[in-house]
Amino acid sequence: MAVCYDKLWKILIDKKMKKIDLMRIAKISSNALAHLSKDESVSVDCIEKICVALDCTPNDMLEFK
């Protein structure tokens, strides 16, 4: 089962944010952002930081395919 972060990128578009903005606001590393961009797995801690920063849930930002 693969993870897909397309929903996350849609949220960023809707909020008129860039990936670098997400990195700064959520306080995630550039390495974590690179993993997200490649639809690779990231830590639950990283997902939590993004959810808090964007006021969303994991279901709002990712899906398994």
Side-chain angles (χ1 to χ4, degrees), residues 4-58:
C4 178
Y5 298 101
D6 289 345
K7 290 178 172 182
L8 173 60
W9 311 133
K10 175 72 172 120
I11 292 170
L12 292 183
I13 290 168
D14 292 344
K15 292 182 180 262
K16 296 183 168 101
M17 293 174 64
K18 296 180 181 177
K19 290 179 181 180
I20 194 80
D21 298 327
L22 174 65
M23 190 175 83
R24 288 186 196 130
I25 292 169
K27 297 183 175 127
I28 59 172
S29 68
S30 57
N31 189 39
L33 186 60
H35 282 281
L36 290 165
S37 296
K38 297 176 193 173
D39 284 339
E40 296 176 351
S41 61
V42 294
S43 70
V44 175
D45 183 51
C46 180
I47 292 171
E48 178 186 12
K49 288 178 181 181
I50 294 169
C51 288
V52 169
L54 297 178
D55 190 29
C56 67
T57 67

